[in-house]
């Protein structure tokens, strides 16, 4: 009995050591369309760090004329302010969430064919030239944000 339990413990430890290294990836991507025609849409997502630190430098889609990374933050007078950001560090094995009220991608000149309930492909580019494509769910301005884990 003891030998069986010891063998199982050793096998479990060996399998844990063989688990694949987490890879740089994107999850929970969605885009909220603007409430007013001509205004930018906002993209939200999570960047999941891989075995080494990375730096996100851009997010693009073929369905918008221009995309910029931005960050919202509390202003001195109690309101909110938003600034463009050139890059976002992603820690190894960490995560960076782009969420309402914080970091987000602004999508300017979104193609009018993009409608709630569809999806669009975002291309994420990192400083080392790594590119990841990920589909983002599209929701209307007034829709509730999708739940994320």
């Amino acid at each position: 009995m003891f030998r069986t339990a010891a063998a199982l413990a050793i096998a479990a430890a060996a399998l844990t050591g063989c688990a694949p290294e987490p890879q740089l990836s994107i999850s929970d991507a969605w885009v909220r369309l603007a409430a007013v025609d001509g205004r930018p849409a906002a993209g939200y997502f999570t960047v999941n760090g891989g075995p080494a630190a990375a730096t996100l430098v851009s997010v693009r889609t073929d369905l918008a004329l221009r995309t910029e990374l931005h960050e919202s933050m509390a202003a001195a007078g109690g309101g909110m302010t938003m600034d463009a950001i050139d890059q976002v560090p992603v820690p190894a094995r960490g995560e960076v969430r782009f969420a309402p009220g914080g970091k987000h991608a602004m999508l300017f000149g979104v193609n009018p064919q993009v409608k709630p309930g569809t999806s669009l492909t975002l291309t994420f580019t990192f400083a080392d030239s790594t590119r990841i494509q990920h589909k983002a769910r599209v929701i209307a301005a007034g829709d509730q944000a999708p739940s994320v884990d």
Side-chain angles (χ1 to χ4, degrees), residues 7-94:
L8 287 174
I10 291 169
L15 288 175
T16 301
C18 295
E21 186 82 37
Q23 296 300 307
L24 182 63
S25 64
I26 308 299
S27 60
D28 306 321
W30 57 283
V31 171
R32 182 184 304 278
L33 295 175
V36 177
D37 286 341
R39 302 292 297 168
Y44 306 104
F45 47 88
T46 300
V47 183
N48 305 291
T55 302
L56 178 66
V57 295
S58 73
V59 177
R60 304 255 188 262
T61 179
D62 290 343
L63 296 173
L65 296 176
R66 184 176 93 243
T67 305
E68 297 177 2
L69 298 175
H70 283 225
E71 184 169 20
S72 298
M73 57 201 94
M80 294 291 283
T81 185
M82 180 172 50
D83 288 322
I85 49 179
D86 293 327
Q87 58 186 12
V88 178
V90 180
R93 296 177 193 84

Side-chain angles (χ1 to χ4, degrees), residues 105-124:
M106 299 292 292
L107 287 70
F108 296 89
V110 174
N111 185 313
Q113 300 297 319
V114 176
K115 302 288 184 200
T118 64
S119 64
L120 53 82
T121 300
L122 297 174
T123 301
F124 300 81

